[in-house]
Amino acid sequence: MREILPALNRWYAAHVPFGLATVVAVSRSAPRGPGAAMAVGPDDEVLGSVSGGCVEGAVFELAQEVVRSGEARLETFGYSDEDAFAVGLTCGGEITLLVRPVTPGTDPVFGAVAQSVADGEPVIVATVVDGPAPRGATLAVWPRTAAGGLGSTGLDAAVAADARGELALGATGLRHYGPDGERREDSVTVFLQSFAPPPRMLVFGAIDYAAAVARIGDFLGYRVTVCDARPVFATPKRFPAGVEVVVDWPHRYLRGTETDERTVICVLTHDPKFDVPLLREALRRPAAYIGAMGSRRTHDERRKRLTEEGVAEAEMARLRSPLGLDLGARTPEEVAVSVAGEIVALRWGGSGAPLSATAGAIHRPVTA
């Protein structure tokens, strides 16, 4: 959704109606998770994807239909459908889609949401999916304000309160309420979609490997910062456009930088005078991934120095060192792929083993 939002906002600003299909739930194996979106606009232009190609043809027709009728629809596709081989998910899972028409009249907050996402301002959108409330109605919730409505003052208040908690976690998924927001009832289903700012990747050590890691981090959607105390190496021209480059002692920069449970920290300096104070700081703060480059010998020496600096074993257990998966990587670009693979596997609970050597679902269930 985030990728196609700028184009959708141009249609919206021009008062051009379009159909928007959003994945609101998945079961078993599915190629796209909740929040994935596909839109059909003027001249049958298609943006985005909800299944990687399995059901897009059927969704295209649904999107056109909701624009003509002005009414949102909820549809499920998968192997359980009679036409599974025609439009179903060949991967064996199911996806549930909310397909709704979008215009300034049907969704008065869409433009404000798009602007907030463009500005990096956190916002969460609540949309009625099912039940005794207007299907497709939206409520946009920011940390201190809200706009739009779901058809009931009580429902708006309950959803807004819950949405702010979900936004802090960057969570997306379904929630259930009564018609007036009663939390012990489940007659109204609401989809909460978070648009939190992109997660950060902090790369320490402005070496050739850092340029490759920064490039792949940017590709994966991280906001990347490269930090090194040596100004001769920490120059923007050595890194991809859009990557922030900072000249500072790594531990000092990290100490003054906010991190959260989505932050990725890659330590590529493999120099004790940088590594030890930096990792001591990193292992005591929130982060999704903390990896350090170096040989087995470097790793053993690093662990010894960190222990001498008072780093506890529980803290040390968070360290991925040597960082990356065993791919036999040699070039900076290959090492970057190895590091990215480990980050993705850790995020989604993957084993890192070849899929040909595993069994069961390829895409693990997503928990909100």
Side-chain angles (χ1 to χ4, degrees), residues 126-137:
T127 307
V128 174
V129 170
D130 204 6
R135 179 175 287 163

Side-chain angles (χ1 to χ4, degrees), residues 273-286:
K273 68 176 178 290
F274 295 123
D275 288 1
V276 173
L278 171 60
L279 288 170
R280 183 179 58 201
E281 176 67 28
L283 293 169
R284 292 173 175 171
R285 58 168 51 234

Side-chain angles (χ1 to χ4, degrees), residues 15 26 42 54 56 58 63 79 99 129 139-140 153 169 206 221 235 237-238 250 265 287 297 313 337 339 350 357 361:
H15 291 254
V26 301
C54 300
E56 268 67 8
Y79 261 136
V99 189
V129 170
L139 175 72
T153 301
L169 299 174
T235 60
K237 66 182 181 182
R238 299 185 64 235
I265 299 174
R297 178 178 177 181
E313 190 59 36
V337 171
V339 174

Side-chain angles (χ1 to χ4, degrees), residues 60-109:
F60 176 82
E61 295 178 0
L62 275 172
Q64 291 180 314
E65 185 177 324
V66 301
V67 170
R68 287 193 296 266
S69 68
E71 297 182 358
R73 296 210 13 207
L74 189 67
E75 298 286 343
T76 297
F77 296 96
Y79 261 136
S80 61
D81 298 335
E82 293 180 0
D83 55 350
F85 289 100
V87 298
L89 293 173
T90 56
C91 59
E94 287 187 352
I95 58 173
T96 299
L97 304 176
L98 177 67
V99 189
R100 63 187 180 94
V102 178
T103 67
T106 61
D107 189 347
V109 300

Side-chain angles (χ1 to χ4, degrees), residues 154-209:
L155 183 59
D156 288 351
V159 171
D162 291 349
R164 290 190 174 99
E166 299 302 298
L167 181 59
L169 299 174
T172 288
L174 295 173
R175 299 294 180 269
H176 303 279
Y177 303 88
D180 291 308
E182 300 90 342
R183 289 186 171 84
R184 294 187 178 182
E185 298 184 26
D186 60 1
S187 60
V188 178
T189 302
V190 177
F191 180 63
L192 299 180
Q193 184 170 11
S194 291
F195 293 95
R200 298 199 65 181
M201 173 182 280
L202 306 177
V203 181
F204 295 96
I207 60 177
D208 289 345
Y209 291 99

Side-chain angles (χ1 to χ4, degrees), residues 23 69 78 86 91 120-121 124 159 170 174 217 245 250-251 257 292 317 324 334 346 351 355:
V23 178
S69 68
C91 59
E121 180 183 12
I124 188 168
V159 171
L174 295 173
V245 180
H251 73 281
T257 300
E334 290 173 345
L346 184 63
S351 67
L355 288 173

